[in-house]
Structures are given as structure tokens and as C-alpha cells.
Amino acid sequence: MPSYTPPTKDLQFVLHDLLKVSESTIPGYADLDPDFTSAILEEAGKITSQVLAPLNAVGDTEGCVLENGVVRTPTGFKEAFEQVKEGGWTGLDCDPEYGGQGMPYVMGTAVGEMFSGANQAFTMYQGLTHGAYSAIHAHGSDAQKATYLPNMVSCEWTGTMNLTEPHCGTDLGLMRTKAVPQGDGTYKISGQKIFISAGDHDMSSNVIHLVLAKIPGGPEGIKGVSLFIVPKFLVKEDGSLGERNGVSVGKIEEKMGIHGNSTCVMNYDEATGYLLGTEHKGMRAMFTMMNEARLGVGMQGMAQAEAAYQNALEYAKDRLQGRDVTGAKNPDGPADPLIVHPDIRRNLMDQKSFVEGARAFLLWGASLIDQAHRSEDAEADGLISLMTPVIKGFLTDRGFECAINAQQVYGGHGYIEEWGMSQFARDARITQIYEGANGVQALDLVGRKLAQDGGKHVMAFFEMVKAFCKDNAEVEGMAEFVEPLKKASKDLQAAGMYFMQNGMKNPNHALAGSYDFMTMMGHVCLGLMWGRMARASLDALAAGASDTVFYETKLATGRYYMARQLPATAMHLARIESGADTVMALEAANF
């Protein structure tokens, strides 16, 4: 069975060597000294490695079962959920007014990576609840917040988001679920939603559904969508649970992966709902949840890559196959370990350099969210808005690729279920699809985010890269990072210029290249992260750091990314500049 080792040391490196969180002016960051964050990460590491990771294969094998209208979670999940709740992990970065610990979002993200890496399906129950909490916290009335948030912070009650219907996914303007006003401030919600993660289960006493629906007589399409709080059990004025609402589970979806999470078809039969936010402004409220969820999904993709890589690395060190072409490395054994072979090294370095770069990118993004919210910084808010589709799209694409590559290290054993490697690939696969499929993320990036606020946020990013390259151009040991980053950034800017020159005349020229652009931007972002980590490592070595092997390894891994991964921007630029003509050449009937 696969194992999981929490990457606490690397998380500490990113928080303190790279982001220097305790020196930041962001409110709340001064408390994040190395001893404090180490204590949090070590405790989180214990519960993830000792409690959640052993249940990962159990959840995959058993799945969830619908019995007489009740969803049963896999063996051990309920007891583990109680331990997570007792430890306060569900409210780590939530508002203290409602029982949370009030830590910065960056700490919630660092801890969240370990939870997702150990057991993605399990962690989704609290993850969806956190998203629903955030939407109610941002858009709910004082009464709604008082009614729902304390129990959601503690996960005594869990939460969901209900968007998709059988006939509409991305195009939510086509939804048919309706909300009929009752004249007393409530609405009757009727319709069916599908693919509802954590839609029902036996680990909490109530489930608070956030449901998109249309009020009859409202505007057509997406402009007529409103958001409603629809609890599984109605809540009485004294906060106790009342009668069962008109919401039920139609079935549990049979899925490729994340079997331990109850992905449900939800039926609403004149269920009582309460408007969250303003009539016909449901997407604004739901996007509070969706944007957070997209960062969380990017984290899931990276976390599955980390877990898969750890196991592939151990297998490569232990499995004896063939001899090193330069001379035996295990002369007393019948063969050398797999890790001596250059192609295995290439595979593992692809994984390692992605995971470590992605972790830095993700936590930097989390720090931007803290800066935007805690410091009310509009520039940071614009920058993380630009980065959100890249974090979601690029990290999940590459995360799945890494899970497949980790399987490849095992050869035939990677395809056999008893070794457990297929679960990482199957669980990672959904991350490319849910919370907006990655093609949609690319369209959002190119079609909306690049031009947002007159394009100033993408220009600010280019200036950030340019300033880094200029500041480090003469620093000894940085040329191997600065020059590839400079080249990749020029490729990205050239792609943006192509869109500006050709996209207005024919929008397909931009949209046909959107996926390549998202991938290019992901590479440049990781290139920037590796450049920053290289400088931090050089500074640590110059200051006499005791763990020289850690920092030298970091530099070697970064050099690999810059030399072997970052040049892919040239290929993506060539694809973009080929335009849309070849993409759109065939009539639909000729495919």
C-alpha cells in the first residue's frame, strides 16, 4: 500500500526562505514565525500520515453506499472526521467570531496540501464546507451568518455547492431549477442537480446546500440566476434542527476516482430555501466559493503529484533492474536499482521539479489572497484573479501528468491495483475537470483576465518578472535561472501581442491558442518561482546554512526545470502563432 510523508520541511522553506512570511506587513503574518508554523505543520503532518493516509485506499476500495436514503461513508471515515474536528483543523483560517482560529489563508493552504495529499476524497468534505462558509461569510446577512457559520466552521454541519444540472454544466444560464417566492422571505426550490461532491453523508448532523436557481419572471440566462441556502434539516430559531427539508439523494455517481467522496444526484422537491445575497446576483456570490475552490483544486492536483512522486521515488531506489551503463552501482547484487538509469532520473526530475515549483506558486497565490483581503490591496486582488485559472489549469494538468509518470516508474506493477499507484492517477484526473474544466480556465484567462482593468494586471506580472531578472542579472550563480526566465517571458509577451494583433479581427485566433497560453503562463510562473527559490537558496548558503545538502539540492532541481521544462514556451508560442485556420478547417461533419 502506498505511503505518505508530509513535506513539512519544504513547506517551511517556501513560507520562510521564499515568502518570508514573518517579515511581511500583511496583518497576521507577524505571528507566523518559524517555530509557530513548524508546530502547526508537524501536528497536521501527524494526522495526515497516521490517520488519513491509511484510509485513502480504504475509501477507494469501499466507496460510498446509498442505503434507504442515507449515504454511508467508507470504514473509518467517520471516526477520522471526528479527530479532524476535535483538532480544530476545519476552522484553521476561519473567522474567530464564528469559532475559527483566524490564521492567514496561506497557512490553511499549506495544511490543506498535506490533507489532500494524504486523502483527497476525505478532505473534500471539509473543503466544500469551507467554500460554502466563505460564500455565506461574504454575502450572508448577520442572521444567516449567526445561524449557519459556527456549526460549519466546526464541521458539525457540512456544506456543498450545487451548480450543474443534467443538461447544463459550464453554461449555467440554461439551468431549470426554480425558486418560487413564498411571501414570507423563503422560497420553494425545485429541480435536480448532479455531480454534487459531499452531497450527503453520515459524518455530520446537517448539510447546508448552496443552490443556484432561477426566480420566475427574472432576467433570461445567467443574469436571472440567484443563490439559495437550502439546509438538509431546517434550523429552528433556537439553532436546533427541525424537520427534514424537501431535498434527497437520487443516487451516488459511479466515478473513475475519489470513490471515498459521495458525489450525489440531488433532488429538490419544493425544498425551503433562503436567498443568499441579492436576487439575480447568484453568480457573484457563487464565484466567491468557486474561485476559492479553483485554488483548492490546483492544490489537489499538485498534492496528488507529490504523493505519487514519493512512492515512485522509493520504488526506484528499491527495485533492482538492469545495470548502470557506466558501471555497476550495486556490484554485490544481481542488478542495480532503477534510479541509476537516466530515463528514470528524467522521469523523477520532471516530477520533483514540478511539485516543488508548484508548491511555491500555490503558496505565493495564497499570500496574494491574504494581501488582497487582509490589507485590502486591489493590486494583489487583481493579480490573484489573473493567476487563478493558471493555478487551477496548469497545476492540475501537470499534476495528473506526474501521477501517470509515477505509475510509469513501476512498469507493470504500476498498472496492478495492489500497488495503489492507479488511485493517484484516477483521483488526480477529476481535478482537470471539476470547478471549470481546464479548457474553460484557458478561455477565462485569455478571454477575460488578460484584458481585466485594461490589462494592467498582466502588465504588472511582466514587470515583476522583468524586475526580478534585472535585479539578479549580476548575481553569481543566477545566470542559469535569469536567462531562461527572460526568454520564456518574452515568448509569453509575444503570444499576448499575437492575440492583440489578430484576436480583434478573428476571435478564434485568440481562443484557439488559449490553452497553449495558459500552459505557457504556468511555465513562466514556475520559472519565476524557481528563480526566487534559487536566490533564496544561494543566500542561505552564503549565510552559512547548516543544511547545505537541502539548498544545493534545491538549486540542482531548479536548474533542471529551467533547462528541461521552461523551453516548452517556444513550442507553445509556435502553436499560437499558427493561428486558428488549421484548428477550424474541418466542417463538423468531417471529423
Side-chain angles (χ1 to χ4, degrees), residues 319-325 328-330 333-338 340-341:
R319 177 74 167 175
L320 302 182
Q321 292 285 286
R323 286 295 188 190
D324 187 335
V325 295
K329 296 297 186 290
N330 179 34
D336 289 332
L338 279 172
V340 305
H341 303 300

Side-chain angles (χ1 to χ4, degrees), residues 9-10 13 309 313 317 339 345 348-349 351-354 356-357 359 481 530 533-538 540-541 545-562:
K9 186 169 185 176
D10 204 51
F13 166 77
Y309 164 71
L313 176 61
K317 289 179 177 179
I339 200 166
R345 291 289 189 100
L348 292 171
M349 286 297 284
Q351 296 175 57
K352 179 178 173 63
S353 64
F354 164 75
E356 294 179 16
R359 176 175 295 121
F481 295 89
W530 272 116
M533 288 191 287
R535 180 61 192 269
S537 297
L538 289 170
L541 290 170
S546 58
D547 193 352
T548 57
V549 173
F550 175 85
Y551 292 107
E552 287 169 354
T553 300
K554 187 67 70 175
L555 286 164
T557 306
R559 291 187 194 104
Y560 179 90
Y561 193 89
M562 307 308 275

Side-chain angles (χ1 to χ4, degrees), residues 128-205:
L128 269 295
T129 305
H130 192 287
Y133 152 87
S134 295
I136 296 173
H137 190 271
H139 302 284
S141 66
D142 289 342
Q144 287 173 335
K145 288 188 275 192
T147 297
Y148 298 105
L149 294 189
N151 281 314
M152 294 179 74
V153 168
S154 66
C155 273
E156 290 300 318
W157 301 349
T158 55
T160 70
M161 54 192 298
N162 286 236
L163 293 82
T164 307
E165 298 183 10
H167 59 283
C168 72
T170 301
D171 191 355
L172 292 170
L174 298 176
M175 73 174 57
R176 296 171 185 158
T177 300
K178 63 181 180 178
V180 179
Q182 299 301 292
D184 61 356
T186 67
Y187 295 75
K188 289 298 182 186
I189 312 297
S190 298
Q192 186 180 77
K193 299 288 185 177
I194 62 171
F195 307 156
I196 308 306
S197 300
D200 196 70
H201 54 89
D202 56 0
M203 300 193 298
S204 66
S205 59

Side-chain angles (χ1 to χ4, degrees), residues 170 222 283 287 290-291 294 382 385-386 389 436 439-458 510-511 514:
T170 301
I222 200 68
M283 290 308 298
F287 266 110
M290 287 178 68
N291 283 334
R294 285 171 176 173
S385 178
L386 173 71
V440 175
Q441 302 301 323
L443 294 177
D444 178 47
L445 175 64
V446 171
R448 284 197 283 238
K449 298 299 174 61
L450 292 185
Q452 187 176 337
D453 296 328
K456 74 174 185 177
H457 303 301
V458 71
L511 300 184
S514 61

Side-chain angles (χ1 to χ4, degrees), residues 69-70 200 209 231-234 242-249 266:
V70 178
D200 196 70
H209 301 287
K232 175 181 176 180
F233 290 98
L234 297 175
E243 64 184 28
R244 176 72 184 254
N245 206 353
V247 53
S248 61
V249 179
M266 303 300 301

